[in-house]
Amino acid sequence: MFEPEIIRIPILPLGMVNAHLVRSPGGCILVDAGIPGSERKIGRVLSRHGLSFADIKLIVVTHAHTDHAGSAARVRALSGAPILAHEADADFYSRKRPMTFCPTGLVGRLFIKTPLPHQPYEGFVPDIMMRNGDEMQLSDFGVDGVVRHTAGHTPGSIAVELPSHDALVGDLVASGILIGGLAFTGHAIRPPFEDDPARVSCELEGLVQRGAQRFHMGHGGPLGAGEVARHARSLPGASRHHCSDD
């Protein structure tokens, strides 16, 4: 069986912000679209691999923060590919409501005071809207895999799971936030913002239990399942959260 190729698209240096391209013989899927203006960097990576925007069959936006959704509308216009996202973040995507942020520590509290998290982007309505409990099979877009709702970082966060035991999880976990001039790329850490850490713990453990072995993320990575599981157990409220109740 052919295993899809996962191509990291560096939006910012040192793995600080990543998008990813999932390439298979049947088609290509873009997972996240970076900050506003990232379409040029995405285009250069496509060209480097003998591809163009026309090869993108689907744009999966894992959540509504500007470093993941910022160029989605522009990439849709260039590629003609539909955008897949979850309805729980829909008002953020369309710009009906301003994005909310729950800092996880000092870095988040300082970061939220800067213009970067609040950088506006072109609003959009996803073409394919997932709802709670939905699972979206990717076979119609040429890739063997599934998208599931993995709330916690934001209400509408989603993740891509592939039969190759790879998972593309947006900001459920991070390893490449720049702190004091250093990018911690081999150790799982919390991203600067996280709505519900106990729910994040549940979702990460669920991904591990379903067989994910390599975690690809928006900041740093990839990380192995053991490190992700350790991180999930360390999150606030992890031991008190009952995943089966969700």
Side-chain angles (χ1 to χ4, degrees):
M1 184 177 69
F2 179 86
E3 290 195 356
E5 179 184 9
I6 299 175
I7 301 168
R8 185 174 69 88
I9 302 174
I11 302 300
L12 292 179
L14 301 175
M16 286 190 291
V17 176
N18 304 313
H20 293 88
L21 190 72
V22 180
R23 181 184 189 181
S24 78
C28 294
I29 291 174
L30 180 69
V31 181
D32 288 328
I35 59 177
S38 296
E39 64 272 10
R40 292 183 293 275
K41 293 180 180 179
I42 294 168
R44 284 197 292 269
V45 171
L46 287 167
S47 179
R48 196 176 303 141
H49 287 83
L51 301 167
S52 70
F53 281 104
D55 292 298
I56 297 175
K57 306 305 180 188
L58 180 69
I59 304 159
V60 177
V61 183
T62 61
H63 64 283
H65 287 160
T66 190
D67 53 338
H68 295 258
S71 294
R74 182 61 182 151
V75 173
R76 178 171 65 182
L78 291 167
S79 66
I83 294 174
L84 167 67
H86 195 279
E87 69 171 357
D89 277 9
D91 284 351
F92 302 135
Y93 291 127
S94 65
R95 320 308 287 166
K96 289 180 181 177
R97 285 197 292 149
M99 192 72 231
T100 56
F101 301 94
C102 296
T104 57
L106 178 61
V107 172
R109 290 193 294 272
L110 294 174
F111 193 34
I112 202 171
K113 296 177 186 288
T114 73
L116 295 176
H118 311 284
Q119 187 176 7
Y121 58 83
E122 181 182 346
F124 59 89
V125 175
D127 303 281
I128 305 171
M129 195 87 79
M130 293 182 65
R131 292 170 174 80
N132 290 343
D134 285 354
E135 294 184 4
M136 177 63 64
Q137 298 295 326
L138 296 174
S139 54
D140 287 345
F141 303 97
V143 172
D144 190 11
V146 63
V147 183
R148 290 189 173 94
H149 185 205
T150 51
H153 180 65
T154 67
S157 290
I158 57 178
V160 176
E161 300 174 56
L162 302 175
S164 58
H165 305 292
D166 291 283
L168 297 94
V169 300
D171 282 359
L172 281 184
V173 62
S175 73
I177 305 298
L178 198 67
I179 304 174
L182 299 174
F184 295 92
T185 56
H187 184 74
I189 60 174
R190 297 173 73 186
F193 311 114
E194 192 171 66
D195 283 9
D196 184 347
R199 180 63 185 266
V200 168
S201 172
C202 170
E203 297 296 350
L204 289 174
E205 290 198 342
L207 284 157
V208 172
Q209 291 167 6
R210 289 193 295 272
Q213 296 176 4
R214 290 172 298 277
F215 286 71
H216 306 264
M217 57 207 65
H219 309 289
L223 292 172
E227 174 62 11
V228 170
R230 179 206 63 78
H231 173 73
R233 292 190 296 268
S234 75
L235 289 171
S239 62
R240 299 191 301 274
H241 190 79
H242 301 288
C243 301
S244 60
D245 293 343
D246 296 332

